[in-house]
């Protein structure tokens, strides 16, 4: 029997033993005629090549172990014939099948103790009514199946569109809405469930009407033979919860590519709909009309970062118009429907506070092939509430040439908004430096204001001039507003006090500080909701006292950790009175929102009511209503602990010092019941993300609280507490550039010094075994991980790098906070790139990346090319490509597999690690001077069938074959 016949026989036997094709939770792989299901590539270390026949026989012998894999792949109901349960024996069999790790790859489940935490039901989201007398409990489901991510999507102008739904892709949703009355004693009344829509509905965009009497939301369903998956708008009275469609016609669907709908008054909504006249999508021509051409014959200087999902040709432009074009419809609760304005690509709708006007933004051609839609030509118009054009405010040209320097902006009018304290007054900002942050000019920004319908000949009024970049306004009234400005290069931030209605009162600086200096942060002013639905500064009055007081809500950063506070602040004298602060001994409490804000005018201090949260190291977050003057707290939630098996985990904020004197901090987590004197040092996982600073003092400040609850997300490093790991979470890795120095010019040096200090601290404490410390990170943290394995191999046994960028020459016009180009800082780009140091990486590294990563700079190609560079130098490495996943991973199958891969890597190269791993075929010395060989350094690479794409250099296998993309 020849090799080709054998491998097809193996594939047939695999199908019989697992599931029939129509019950598989995945699409069976279609293999090229000359390739096998176990199609692999690698460079064998011993110069031999194992035959396809041999590999096929090995695959046959392992078919029994693959059976449970197909069962668990469909456990969440996404497909397959599973009863929804898997025995621990089967899960163990899958986990221990090490040799099969790249052969016939399927999605795997992590150990049960990790899986149970990830599969725990999520807590609901909360939404308070405008009058703060009712609460919505928005119910959520657990992780979505991969099938939802696999829906076709159009990648157009930086936007990913689900053509079946006419929305952005990968939208999460709510599964139900519960309404509770908030009773005077702080307790909740019985739940009123919103009902009336069919079972299985996916709920999005839940909003209150301005008077709080109605809810509006959208409903969609999984597409079936007679059911469209497009969104429809529904409404429900809060008192009964009985829902009904807003539109009587079954042919009106929501277009949610940009905006969706907005309440224009208590009984009417402005809705973005799909034009009724829209036909079928444009068809891509079989033969192009001509070549794709871009030209710069004008010699314009245009520098852009590595944006993804851009338009590529005229067909893409037509397709973008097809999906993004909206017909605005004014719909009343009584059933009245009226189309307003012509169809266009509307991006936002903003009613004026008095409901008389609409601020309408849209984009239009000419489009661009090098920047996303946010930089397309933009038009802002002023309409009456019934859709009649009053005037055009601006029509900004295509903005391809915004400089890459941080704080650079678009030229022309920007940040056009309604004044929150006026019925219908507009304000906006215009740059004076041509939008280029490198241009030194004063003023840099000017704020203008103007009535919606100015008198004839009445131009805009200058409200304020700024020398830094505009950052927003908090309005109060004609006597008070706060204006914010900042500048990234110096980290300077300023707050101005202005009197919008008086030219006689000079603006004055209220706060002028460094944004990095968290210890000096005075807090942010709290806002109250007005009857018009806008938010203005909450002014408080004290009995028998004059003065204007604001409420400053602050994090309260201190050397002992954050102690949140609420200050009563005299805006005129600067005097403060601390009227509330968190319990610092055991709990971490924060002020979430102002609850006594429904009335006009200054709020008497004795009528103050706030929503607070409260948590501890071991108690999950609950919410309370705190009322003055007694400051009595009423608990309004009683959420169960999301992972009781880790309820008694140990948490400590640790402080230590870098060799250059910079103070560093980290959060150390230890498993429940762990005793260092009894149990000895543990394997340790260090998970972090570097940050940039302008001063050593700021870099050394403590951020966070030792009393915060340990929130564990589905891909959190803290999951490995359940596997008896010590976790050093978020050790500060400051990259400092003081004065005119650029931080990244000393990136590697400071990165290694920070990591050395962190490792020394956990070893000194006796909680981590010095030979069993792994390092990991996501995105820029993955970049950090690769650099540490290249430049500090003596510190770590292995690394896990997720969704990173490793070659900075592929991001030549800046990355992260670096705004110099490759040609301006060539040496820095090269030294920072672990790709350029691939020959130095001798420790095992696991690379994981979403196949559809949309994040600028972290193209999937980054991990692919880095893996090839590592493999070309004999490094022990593994690459896992997750189909349909973007920068962050979403589906249950992918997340579970990532956790399986991570746990396998940690168990194999951290827990079982006893000496320095060196995978150089010549067994040369690594940076620590230790000589060793490892049988696991044999090379193999393979791509999976219906599972993540895996490449590997852990075992002996085939030479240089291309992967299958399935």
């Amino acid at each position: 029997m020849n090799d080709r016949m054998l491998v097809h026989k193996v594939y047939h036997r695999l199908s019989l033993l697992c599931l029939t094709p129509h019950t598989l939770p995945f699409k069976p792989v279609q293999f090229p005629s000359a390739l096998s299901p176990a199609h692999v590539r690698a460079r064998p270390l011993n110069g031999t090549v194992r035959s396809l026949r041999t590999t096929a026989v090995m695959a046959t012998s392992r078919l029994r172990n693959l059976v449970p894999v197909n069962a668990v792949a469909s456990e969440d109901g996404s497909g397959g014939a599973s009863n929804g349960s898997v025995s621990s024996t089967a899960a163990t069999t899958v986990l221990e099948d090490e040799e099969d790790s790249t052969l016939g790859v399927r999605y795997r489940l992590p150990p049960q103790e990790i899986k149970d935490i990830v599969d725990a039901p999520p807590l609901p989201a909360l939404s308070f009514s405008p009058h703060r007398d009712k609460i919505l409990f928005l119910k959520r489901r657990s992780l979505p199946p991969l099938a939802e991510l696999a829906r076709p999507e159009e990648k157009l102008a930086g936007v990913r569109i689900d053509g079946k739904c006419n929305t952005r892709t990968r939208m999460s949703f709510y599964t139900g809405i519960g309404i509770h009355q908030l009773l005077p004693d702080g307790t909740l009344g019985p739940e009123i469930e919103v009902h009336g829509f069919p079972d299985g509905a996916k709920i999005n965009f839940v909003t209150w009407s301005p008077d709080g009497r109605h809810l509006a939301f959208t409903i969609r369903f999984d597409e079936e033979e007679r059911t469209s998956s497009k969104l429809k708008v529904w409404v429900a009275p809060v008192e009964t919860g009985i829902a009904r469609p807003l539109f009587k016609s079954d042919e009106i669907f929501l277009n949610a590519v940009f905006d969706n709908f907005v309440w224009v008054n208590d009984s009417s909504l402005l809705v973005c709909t799909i034009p009724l006249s829209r036909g079928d999508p444009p068809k891509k021509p079989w033969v192009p009309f001509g070549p794709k051409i871009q030209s710069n014959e004008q010699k314009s200087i245009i520098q852009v970062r590595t944006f993804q999902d851009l338009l590529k040709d005229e067909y893409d432009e037509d397709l973008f118009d097809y999906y993004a074009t909206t017909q605005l419809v004014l719909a009343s609760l009584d059933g009245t429907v009226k189309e307003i304005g012509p169809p266009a690509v509307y991006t936002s709708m903003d009613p004026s506070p008095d409901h008389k006007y609409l601020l309408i933004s849209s984009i239009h051609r000419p489009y661009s092939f090098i920047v996303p839609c946010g930089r397309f030509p933009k038009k802002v118009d002023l309409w009456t509430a019934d859709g009649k054009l009053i005037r055009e405010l601006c029509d900004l040209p295509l903005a391809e040439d915004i400089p890459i320097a941080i704080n650079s902006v678009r030229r022309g009018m920007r940040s056009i908004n309604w004044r929150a304290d006026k019925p219908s007054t507009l304000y906006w900002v215009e740059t004076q430096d041509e939008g280029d942050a490198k241009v030194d000019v004063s003023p840099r920004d000017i704020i203008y204001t103007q009535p919606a319908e100015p008198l004839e000949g009445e131009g805009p009024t200058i409200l304020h001039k700024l020398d830094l970049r505009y950052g927003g306004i908090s309005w109060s009234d004609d006597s008070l507003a706060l204006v914010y400005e900042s500048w990234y290069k110096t980290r300077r931030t300023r707050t101005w006090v202005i009197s919008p209605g008086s030219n006689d009162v000079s603006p004055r600086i209220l706060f002028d500080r460094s944004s990095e200096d968290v210890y000096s942060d005075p807090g942010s002013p709290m806002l109250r909701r007005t009857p018009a639905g806008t938010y203005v500064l909450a002014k408080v009055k004290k009995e028998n006292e004059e003065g204007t007081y604001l409420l400053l809500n602050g994090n309260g950063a201190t050397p002992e950790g954050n102690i949140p506070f609420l200050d009563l602040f005299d805006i005129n004298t600067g005097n403060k009175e601390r009227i509330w602060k968190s319990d610092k001994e055991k709990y971490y409490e924060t002020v979430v929102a102002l609850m006594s804000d429904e009335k006009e005018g200054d709020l008497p201090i004795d009528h103050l009511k706030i929503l607070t949260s409260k948590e501890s190291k071991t108690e999950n977050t609950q919410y309370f209503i705190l009322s003055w003057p007694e400051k009595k707290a009423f608990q309004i939630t009683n959420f169960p602990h999301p992972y009781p098996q880790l309820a008694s985990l140990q948490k400590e904020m640790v402080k230590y010092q870098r060799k250059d004197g910079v103070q560093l901090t980290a959060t150390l987590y230890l498993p429940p019941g762990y005793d260092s004197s009894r149990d000895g040092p543990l394997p340790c996982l260090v998970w972090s993300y570097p940050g940039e600073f302008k001063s050593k003092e700021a870099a050394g400040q403590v951020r966070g609280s030792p009393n915060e609850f340990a929130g564990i997300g589905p891909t959190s490093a803290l999951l490995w507490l359940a596997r008896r790991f010590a976790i050093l979470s978020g050790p500060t890795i400051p990259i400092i550039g003081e004065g005119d120095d650029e931080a990244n010019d000393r990136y590697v040096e400071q990165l290694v010094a920070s990591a050395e200090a962190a490792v020394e601290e956990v070893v000194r404490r006796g909680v981590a075994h010095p030979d069993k410390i792994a390092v990991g990170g996501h995105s820029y943290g993955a970049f950090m991980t690769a650099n540490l394995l290249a430049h500090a191999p003596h510190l770590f046994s292995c690394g896990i790098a997720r969704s990173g960028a490793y070659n900075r020459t592929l991001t030549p016009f800046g990355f992260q906070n670096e705004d110099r180009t490759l040609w301006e800082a060539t040496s820095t780009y090269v030294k920072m790139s672990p790709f350029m140091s691939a020959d130095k990486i001798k420790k095992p590294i696991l690379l994981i990346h979403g196949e559809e990563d949309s994040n600028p700079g972290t193209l999937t190609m980054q991990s692919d090319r880095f893996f090839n560079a590592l493999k070309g130098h004999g490094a022990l490495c593994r690459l896992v490509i997750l189909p349909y996943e973007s920068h962050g991973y979403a589906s249950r199958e992918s997340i579970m597999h990532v956790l399986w891969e991570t746990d396998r890597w940690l168990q194999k190269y951290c827990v079982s690690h006893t000496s320095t791993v060196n995978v150089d075929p010549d067994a040369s010395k690594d940076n620590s001077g230790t000589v060793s060989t490892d049988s696991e350094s044999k090379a193999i690479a393979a791509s999976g069938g219906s599972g993540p794409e895996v490449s590997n250099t852990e075992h002996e296998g085939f030479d240089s074959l291309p992967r299958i993309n399935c």
Side-chain angles (χ1 to χ4, degrees):
M1 184 184 297
N2 61 32
D3 289 343
R4 179 177 168 188
M5 292 175 63
L6 176 62
V7 295
H8 279 284
K9 183 176 180 180
V10 171
Y11 179 62
H12 175 66
R13 190 177 304 175
L14 177 65
S15 301
L16 293 176
L17 285 173
C18 299
L19 295 168
T20 57
H22 72 275
T23 61
L24 285 170
F26 39 76
K27 182 179 179 181
V29 185
Q30 302 300 313
F31 295 103
S33 59
L35 301 175
S36 77
H39 189 197
V40 294
R41 65 184 174 110
R43 179 189 57 77
L45 294 180
N46 60 5
T48 63
V49 177
R50 192 181 293 176
S51 70
L52 281 170
R53 180 185 181 92
T54 304
T55 304
V57 172
M58 291 177 63
T60 307
S61 68
R62 301 190 187 102
L63 290 176
R64 178 179 59 188
N65 287 340
L66 289 178
V67 175
V69 179
N70 287 324
V72 301
S74 60
E75 188 183 29
D76 63 352
S78 59
S82 171
N83 63 3
S85 63
V86 178
S87 70
S88 59
T89 303
T92 303
T93 302
V94 172
L95 177 65
E96 292 177 350
D97 188 17
E98 296 291 358
E99 285 188 286
D100 216 26
S101 59
T102 60
L103 193 59
V105 173
R106 297 292 184 265
Y107 288 100
R108 305 294 187 93
L109 288 177
Q112 192 70 34
E113 54 265 46
I114 289 180
K115 174 182 170 295
D116 288 345
I117 297 172
V118 176
D119 276 341
L123 298 177
L126 303 183
S127 174
F128 288 84
S129 67
H131 298 305
R132 306 299 193 245
D133 59 344
K134 295 180 178 66
I135 308 177
L136 299 184
F137 279 62
L138 303 172
K139 301 165 188 179
R140 300 182 283 189
R141 56 112 186 242
S142 54
L143 298 172
L146 185 62
E148 289 192 10
L149 273 65
R151 291 171 60 95
E153 61 183 3
E154 304 292 346
K155 302 173 183 177
L156 302 168
V159 176
R160 293 185 174 183
I161 299 172
D162 185 331
K164 297 292 186 181
C165 297
N166 222 106
T167 66
R168 302 289 180 98
T169 60
R170 306 166 188 264
M171 284 203 316
S172 59
F173 57 87
Y174 301 114
T175 58
I177 305 173
I179 307 170
H180 291 269
Q181 184 78 31
L182 185 59
L183 302 176
D185 62 357
T187 60
L188 299 181
E191 180 180 272
I192 298 175
E193 184 177 2
V194 177
H195 59 286
F197 43 78
D199 293 338
K202 299 179 178 180
I203 304 169
N204 289 97
F205 308 122
V206 182
T207 59
W208 295 89
S209 63
D211 61 6
R213 297 176 59 188
H214 289 85
L215 298 175
F217 50 92
T218 63
I219 291 293
R220 60 188 165 104
F221 299 92
D222 290 328
E223 189 172 33
E224 299 174 356
E225 184 177 347
R226 298 182 180 180
T227 305
S228 170
S229 59
K230 291 184 174 63
L231 279 69
K232 290 189 174 183
V233 182
W234 284 58
V235 292
V238 172
E239 294 303 318
T240 65
I242 302 173
R244 62 174 176 83
L246 174 65
F247 298 107
K248 296 179 180 178
S249 170
D250 289 334
E251 303 301 317
I252 301 179
F253 297 102
L254 188 75
N255 187 334
V257 170
F258 288 107
D259 212 337
N260 42 80
F261 61 83
V262 62
W263 289 91
V264 295
N265 55 45
D266 293 338
S267 59
S268 299
L269 298 97
L270 183 60
V271 185
C272 294
T273 69
I274 298 172
L276 292 174
S277 60
R278 191 178 80 171
D280 295 330
K283 296 186 180 299
K284 188 166 187 172
W286 287 102
V287 179
F289 297 116
K292 299 176 182 179
I293 298 173
Q294 297 186 52
S295 176
N296 191 33
E297 296 181 43
Q298 300 82 11
K299 298 183 179 181
S300 302
I301 297 177
I302 298 177
Q303 301 177 347
V304 295
R305 295 206 173 188
T306 47
F307 298 118
Q308 300 198 53
D309 302 336
L310 302 176
L311 299 176
K312 299 179 292 296
D313 50 32
E314 291 182 9
Y315 167 73
D316 275 1
E317 291 182 308
D318 292 341
L319 201 60
F320 176 74
D321 277 339
Y322 176 83
Y323 286 115
T325 297
T326 288
Q327 175 62 62
L328 298 182
V329 172
L330 196 60
S332 298
L333 296 180
D334 62 8
T336 305
V337 174
K338 176 186 177 183
E339 292 186 353
I340 63 173
V345 184
Y346 297 110
T347 56
S348 69
M349 313 169 295
D350 189 9
S352 61
D354 63 3
H355 310 304
K356 293 182 178 180
Y357 302 96
L358 298 171
L359 194 60
I360 304 293
S361 298
S362 61
I363 56 178
H364 59 82
R365 299 195 185 210
Y367 296 149
S368 171
F369 298 152
I370 64 172
V371 293
C373 58
R375 297 192 183 186
F376 287 178
K378 177 181 179 180
K379 187 179 179 184
V380 182
D381 291 328
L382 185 65
W383 294 3
T384 61
D386 58 357
K388 296 177 182 176
L389 176 66
I390 297 175
R391 60 185 174 120
E392 178 187 290
L393 297 177
C394 66
D395 192 350
L396 304 177
L398 180 65
E400 291 182 330
D401 59 347
I402 298 176
I404 62 172
I406 298 174
N407 285 131
S408 294
V409 296
R410 190 174 194 158
R411 293 189 291 269
M413 297 172 66
R414 71 180 198 278
S415 300
I416 307 173
N417 286 297
W418 297 106
R419 273 186 61 169
D421 61 328
K422 292 289 184 181
S424 53
T425 299
L426 294 163
Y427 71 98
W428 66 90
V429 185
E430 294 185 29
T431 181
Q432 306 300 300
D433 57 11
E434 295 298 310
D436 189 348
K438 292 185 176 180
V439 173
D440 190 12
V441 64
S442 179
R444 190 173 292 277
D445 275 337
I446 297 179
I447 306 169
Y448 295 93
T449 183
Q450 189 178 46
E453 293 191 75
L455 300 175
E456 186 175 353
E458 181 184 6
T461 300
I462 293 177
L463 182 67
H464 192 53
K465 298 180 179 180
L466 300 169
D467 285 336
L468 308 181
R469 188 63 78 202
Y470 168 79
I473 300 179
S474 294
W475 299 95
S476 175
D477 48 39
D478 275 339
S479 66
L480 176 64
L482 301 182
V483 181
Y484 310 100
E485 63 174 342
S486 63
W487 197 247
Y488 177 77
K489 279 292 185 183
T490 60
R491 309 299 198 272
R492 189 179 187 185
T493 179
R494 296 196 295 196
T495 303
W496 290 85
V497 178
I498 65 171
S499 297
S502 176
N503 295 326
D504 299 331
V505 179
S506 299
R508 60 183 176 88
I509 293 177
L510 185 63
F511 303 122
D512 188 350
R513 48 182 292 273
S514 169
S515 59
E516 290 183 338
D517 182 8
V518 294
Y519 291 170
S520 70
D521 188 351
S524 301
M526 296 196 72
L527 305 178
R528 69 169 179 85
R529 190 180 188 275
T530 69
T534 62
Y535 286 84
V536 298
L537 291 168
K539 293 200 295 186
V540 177
K541 61 183 178 182
K542 299 174 70 174
E543 189 175 358
N544 301 323
E545 288 190 29
E546 297 294 330
T548 301
Y549 296 92
L550 301 181
L551 294 168
L552 295 184
N553 181 14
N555 291 325
T558 74
E560 288 72 44
N562 288 358
I563 307 173
F565 64 83
L566 188 64
D567 280 351
L568 198 60
F569 178 71
D570 190 323
I571 195 75
N572 297 314
T573 66
N575 294 331
K576 301 178 184 179
E577 177 188 350
R578 187 140 300 176
I579 60 174
W580 176 90
K581 70 175 181 179
S582 173
D583 174 0
K584 68 178 181 179
E585 299 303 325
K586 179 181 177 181
Y587 291 101
Y588 178 73
E589 302 169 286
T590 65
V591 175
V592 179
L594 186 64
M595 300 295 287
S596 50
D597 61 356
E598 69 274 9
K599 297 179 180 179
E600 289 280 16
D602 294 355
L603 174 67
I605 185 66
D606 287 345
H607 293 178
L608 182 62
K609 187 185 296 183
I610 59 175
L611 176 70
T612 65
S613 67
K614 185 177 184 179
E615 61 198 77
S616 73
K617 297 176 184 179
T618 57
E619 299 173 39
N620 54 306
T621 305
Q622 305 293 350
Y623 293 94
F624 296 76
I625 300 292
L626 186 65
S627 301
W628 268 251
E630 297 88 0
K631 297 185 182 179
K632 187 174 181 180
F634 296 94
Q635 184 172 342
I636 61 172
T637 62
N638 189 25
F639 297 131
H641 197 293
Y643 20 88
Q645 59 271 56
L646 293 179
S648 58
L649 62 81
Q650 303 172 51
K651 176 184 177 181
E652 180 183 358
M653 182 173 285
V654 298
K655 302 177 185 178
Y656 50 99
Q657 193 175 88
R658 204 164 72 178
K659 62 184 179 181
D660 60 0
V662 176
Q663 295 294 320
L664 304 176
T665 58
T667 304
L668 176 63
Y669 293 91
L670 298 170
Y674 169 75
D675 185 317
S676 60
S677 61
R678 181 192 65 212
D679 303 328
L682 297 170
C684 178
L685 175 57
V686 178
W687 199 269
S688 192
Y689 192 97
E692 295 180 9
F693 293 87
K694 291 301 292 181
S695 74
K696 293 180 179 180
E697 292 74 22
Q701 292 182 349
V702 176
R703 293 162 172 83
S705 167
N707 295 327
E708 285 182 88
F709 180 70
I712 303 179
T715 58
S716 170
L718 299 186
L719 289 166
W720 274 269
L721 289 168
R723 298 285 280 166
R724 306 298 292 177
F725 270 70
I727 308 295
L728 193 67
S729 177
T732 50
I733 300 184
I735 311 300
I736 303 166
E738 296 187 300
D740 294 330
D741 293 344
E742 293 286 349
N744 284 338
D745 289 347
R746 295 178 54 239
Y747 174 85
V748 171
E749 173 190 339
Q750 297 188 68
L751 177 69
V752 171
S754 298
E756 285 177 338
V759 169
E760 289 171 3
E761 180 64 17
V762 291
V763 171
R764 182 190 68 79
R765 288 171 169 263
V767 300
H769 192 293
D771 293 332
K772 298 182 179 182
I773 301 177
V775 63
H778 186 93
S779 196
Y780 207 52
F783 175 73
M784 168 206 75
T785 298
N787 266 306
L788 285 173
L789 294 188
H791 302 291
H794 59 289
L795 296 177
F796 303 104
S797 62
C798 64
I800 299 138
R802 301 194 314 221
S803 298
Y806 309 102
N807 183 353
R808 287 304 169 193
T809 68
L810 297 178
T811 55
F813 291 108
F815 58 90
Q816 201 71 3
N817 293 319
E818 177 61 69
D819 59 4
R820 295 172 295 174
T821 70
L822 169 63
W823 299 271
E824 293 170 328
T826 305
S827 177
T828 297
Y829 272 66
V830 171
K831 288 179 181 178
M832 288 183 70
S833 297
F835 180 86
M836 303 301 180
S837 300
D839 59 326
K840 298 179 182 178
I841 296 180
K842 307 301 180 184
K843 295 296 181 68
I845 183 169
L846 172 62
L847 304 174
I848 302 175
H849 216 121
E851 192 171 34
E852 303 295 334
D853 195 328
S854 62
N855 186 55
T858 56
L859 289 77
T860 307
M861 172 182 65
Q862 288 271 7
S863 286
D864 210 353
R865 292 188 177 181
F866 187 40
F867 173 77
N868 287 330
L870 292 167
K871 187 179 67 171
H873 290 89
L876 197 165
C877 52
R878 181 176 174 92
L879 171 63
V880 180
I881 301 295
L882 302 170
Y884 303 112
E885 296 290 351
S886 187
H887 191 59
Y889 318 137
S891 74
R892 184 177 185 274
E893 292 92 329
S894 295
I895 287 173
M896 290 296 184
H897 189 88
V898 166
L899 299 177
W900 177 83
E901 291 277 1
T902 303
D903 187 73
R904 172 187 175 276
W905 204 254
L906 292 173
Q907 298 297 328
K908 194 171 186 180
Y909 299 115
C910 182
V911 175
S912 301
H913 176 74
T914 56
S915 62
T916 304
V917 177
N918 188 314
V919 296
D920 189 287
D922 296 325
S924 60
K925 291 186 177 182
D926 69 5
N927 289 14
S928 67
T930 304
V931 177
S932 63
T933 58
D934 191 334
S935 61
E936 299 299 345
S937 64
K938 298 176 183 179
I940 187 172
S943 67
S946 299
E949 210 174 284
V950 177
S951 298
N952 204 343
T953 61
E954 296 179 82
H955 308 282
E956 187 179 4
F958 296 98
D959 197 6
S960 310
L961 294 175
R963 277 185 298 173
I964 303 171
N965 293 315
C966 303

